[in-house]
Amino acid sequence: MSDQVHAHAIDIHAHYFPEAFLDLIGENAASCGIEWRMVDGKGPQFREGHVTTGPVGPQFVDLDLRLQAMDARNLEAHALSLSQPMVYWAARPLAQRLTEVYNDALAAAHQKHPARLWGLATLPMQFPDLSLREIERAATLPGIRGFYISTQVNDKELSDAAFFPVYERIEALELPLFLHPVQVLAHQRLTPYYLTNLLGNPFESAVAAAHLIFGGVMDRFPRLQIVLPHAGGAFPWLVWRLHRGWEVRADLKHVQHGPAEYLKRFYYDTVGYSDYVVDYLVRVVGTERILMGSDYCFPIAYEQPVEVVERNPFLDARAKQRIIAGNAMRLLRI
């Protein structure tokens, strides 16, 4: 890295689709209700429910192309994650196979490029017992530094008690839990204009955070480290409305604190598309809980995530270094 502020620059929001994982989806798509087709020269495209993914081109799959893109972005490392469609659509045996194939590919990527590629393991959350088994297995794999799940699981909110053993084990391992939307609210209304992504995703993160707070997860697991994507989505902006509800409604008094006091229990990435968004996060949670991300390599992704942080006029040099590198190194124990 040519500039000190770039040293150990880590993109914590970078998606990866291993070829073996895609092949396994393709082999089972017809029997699982997945719409699957190959787009000439661009890779597979598939649809599960209202969510369409792809075409998943070489930039998602080929590690050499990824490293070239990282170099062009002054990035030392990617924390690799799955994103949509996760594995929640699969029946039990296939869900386990998909999960193991994906997480094994993360470990293989790290072993091939140990200083540059790290893994956020996926879990078959529709089967909490399988998730517990995979947590134990994946935590021993090379390069795994956290876990990655959706903001809801087959219409179950993350506050569902069935998931509590999963949170308990992840907390005990002191590994972070990253969230990402897949299915979104009111998708029929959001289908036009790319609104399932532009509005649906940030509201999904807000709904998930509210359930984690009011559902008692944050109180029950006080050391669980949870990362919200897309700069927290709508949550950091609407938390004061949640807080007002807690102040005036007796049925919300069961949590230990008002929602605004849980702001600093979460981590947030920089994918907010405005310097003002990051400035607001700094003001309400501090620089220690903000991590650099890009959403690689979806069309909406930042093309130069390091530069976005560097040029932010509201951040001093120390804050930039924390966000670009230091916070992720600490959270992921790199």
Side-chain angles (χ1 to χ4, degrees):
M1 303 300 165
S2 60
D3 191 302
Q4 185 177 1
V5 81
H6 297 161
H8 310 298
I10 302 169
D11 183 348
I12 58 86
H13 191 156
H15 300 302
Y16 173 50
F17 290 89
E19 187 170 0
F21 178 80
L22 291 173
D23 289 344
L24 191 54
I25 294 178
E27 291 165 8
N28 292 274
S31 61
C32 294
I34 302 289
E35 298 177 23
W36 174 277
R37 69 187 184 100
M38 291 297 298
V39 179
D40 289 345
K42 295 183 177 180
Q45 183 178 60
F46 41 97
R47 179 182 176 92
E48 191 275 317
H50 71 81
V51 178
T52 299
T53 304
V56 180
Q59 68 272 28
F60 281 108
V61 180
D62 189 304
L63 294 180
D64 290 333
L65 289 179
R66 178 178 297 265
L67 292 175
Q68 292 173 22
M70 289 164 61
D71 289 342
R73 291 160 170 78
N74 290 318
L75 288 165
E76 180 172 298
H78 267 184
L80 305 174
S81 56
L82 176 56
S83 184
Q84 61 191 48
M86 301 298 190
V87 300
Y88 309 147
W89 48 272
R92 187 180 178 93
L94 179 58
Q96 182 174 352
R97 285 179 62 205
L98 285 163
T99 300
E100 291 176 354
V101 164
Y102 187 81
N103 293 339
D104 287 348
L106 292 179
H110 172 75
Q111 287 181 302
K112 190 173 181 180
H113 305 285
R116 308 206 65 186
L117 301 177
W118 304 85
L120 302 174
T122 197
L123 294 172
M125 289 292 286
Q126 72 273 41
F127 303 111
D129 62 319
L130 289 184
S131 293
L132 284 171
R133 189 185 308 172
E134 183 61 14
I135 287 169
E136 299 302 328
R137 192 188 78 89
T140 67
L141 295 176
I144 298 300
R145 288 296 185 270
F147 295 94
Y148 211 83
I149 67 172
S150 180
T151 50
Q152 60 172 309
V153 179
N154 295 349
D155 296 325
K156 280 189 176 182
E157 303 298 343
L158 297 186
S159 54
D160 194 294
F163 303 137
F164 285 8
V166 174
Y167 303 146
E168 182 177 30
R169 189 61 190 132
I170 293 174
E171 180 187 52
L173 289 169
E174 299 182 343
L175 291 171
L177 179 62
F178 288 70
L179 306 186
H180 197 284
V182 177
Q183 306 287 338
V184 302
L185 291 165
H187 66 88
Q188 299 91 340
R189 296 182 65 199
L190 300 179
T191 299
Y193 316 122
Y194 198 51
L195 295 182
T196 49
N197 187 310
L198 300 180
L199 293 180
N201 280 0
F203 276 102
E204 271 298 311
S205 293
V207 172
H211 276 285
L212 290 169
I213 293 169
F214 288 123
V217 175
M218 308 307 287
D219 290 340
R220 190 181 184 100
F221 306 101
R223 294 180 293 107
L224 184 62
Q225 304 168 103
I226 299 177
V227 184
L228 298 178
H230 313 124
F235 171 65
W237 305 92
L238 297 181
V239 69
W240 310 105
R241 186 174 179 88
L242 298 176
H243 194 88
R244 180 59 177 166
W246 172 81
E247 288 178 331
V248 301
R249 293 187 61 91
D251 58 332
L252 300 181
K253 294 292 188 182
H254 60 283
V255 293
Q256 293 178 8
H257 309 286
E261 296 186 50
Y262 293 89
L263 270 169
K264 293 184 179 181
R265 280 291 310 278
F266 296 95
Y267 287 82
Y268 307 83
D269 70 23
T270 56
V271 188
Y273 306 109
S274 170
D275 292 339
Y276 295 107
V277 170
V278 173
D279 178 51
Y280 173 71
L281 285 176
V282 168
R283 292 172 184 270
V284 296
V285 304
T287 58
E288 297 83 359
R289 290 191 164 264
I290 304 174
L291 311 163
M292 184 179 63
S294 72
D295 211 349
Y296 180 92
C297 56
F298 286 102
I300 200 171
Y302 276 139
E303 294 178 351
Q304 292 292 338
V306 175
E307 182 181 324
V308 166
V309 177
E310 276 197 307
R311 72 183 184 212
N312 189 317
F314 303 112
L315 301 174
D316 61 25
R318 184 181 182 191
K320 292 174 182 178
Q321 181 61 29
R322 283 177 172 174
I323 292 169
I324 289 171
N327 295 339
M329 291 179 69
R330 184 180 70 253
L331 183 66
L332 301 179
R333 291 186 285 177
I334 293 175

